Amino acid sequence: MTSCAPTKGWTAGGPVAHRRAFGVALRELRTAQKTAKGVSLYSRHVNRPAGRVLAAAAYRAGLSPNQVTLVSAAWSFAAVAALALLPPSWPLALGVYAGLALGFAFDSADGQLARLRRESSAAGEWLDHVVDCAKITALHAAVLVSFYRHFDLPGPGWLLLPLAFQWAAVLIFFGGLLTEKLK
């Protein structure tokens, strides 16, 4: 007769050492956070905690911070491409939201993983910022493409609206980046 009880070293969810290492990484990540000063409520209460879990999982999977940045880019650009190419619908809206939210959470995870692994580098920071800039510009360009392809706008001037948002988003992104660097 076999027992249903877990064998020594195992829990219902897998090896104890695996779960313990994930938990240790998660605890260490809580102390390796950037300051919350000036951070949006979404980043503070949703994105950073989600990124912390993803960073701990990436740590356990042996991923580098740059690999996590590329995962972030993949989720984000898949969502952006869907927005530009597919006809608008509620399922598309949910899918685009999910892809962007996951991309944003992985974007938070890459820096947290770098701090956990003590592997912060200028090259990694550069890659992170370049991907962020590409995501910002691509998202607004995708909205413009979607407007052009799928909506009967009252006039062509409405196509300038996504460009105005793109300009503002890029300005805010780089303004914040430069402010942080110049302090």
Side-chain angles (χ1 to χ4, degrees):
M1 180 176 203
T2 60
S3 168
C4 291
T7 59
K8 184 176 181 184
W10 283 80
T11 65
V16 171
H18 174 78
R19 292 175 59 107
R20 193 172 325 158
F22 176 84
V24 168
L26 199 55
R27 278 190 298 282
E28 286 182 22
L29 282 163
R30 283 193 180 97
T31 63
Q33 294 298 304
K34 288 185 191 177
T35 179
K37 184 179 179 184
V39 174
S40 71
L41 289 175
Y42 178 82
S43 287
R44 184 180 304 164
H45 297 292
V46 177
N47 198 54
R48 281 189 178 175
R52 195 166 31 249
V53 171
L54 292 172
Y59 176 78
R60 284 298 304 146
L63 295 177
S64 72
N66 288 347
Q67 288 171 319
V68 174
T69 299
L70 295 177
V71 170
S72 168
W75 279 107
S76 298
F77 290 123
V80 168
L83 177 63
L85 300 173
L86 300 174
S89 67
W90 285 110
L92 176 66
L94 291 173
V96 168
Y97 166 76
L100 291 174
L102 275 168
F104 198 38
F106 274 106
D107 184 40
S108 175
D110 61 3
Q112 293 185 54
L113 179 61
R115 286 186 292 281
L116 176 67
R117 292 174 53 154
R118 292 165 182 77
E119 292 181 358
S120 294
S121 70
E125 188 175 357
W126 177 87
L127 177 64
D128 181 53
H129 292 318
V130 167
V131 169
D132 288 346
C133 182
K135 288 188 292 190
I136 289 169
T137 56
L139 176 61
H140 294 89
V143 171
L144 185 144
V145 169
S146 180
F147 277 12
Y148 179 77
R149 292 183 69 209
H150 303 292
F151 293 95
D152 186 22
L153 299 173
W158 286 96
L159 295 175
L160 296 175
L161 193 58
L163 292 177
F165 274 91
Q166 182 181 56
W167 176 80
V170 170
L171 185 66
I172 291 167
F173 175 74
F174 279 107
L177 195 73
L178 287 173
T179 300
E180 183 180 311
K181 291 291 179 201
L182 294 174
K183 281 188 176 179

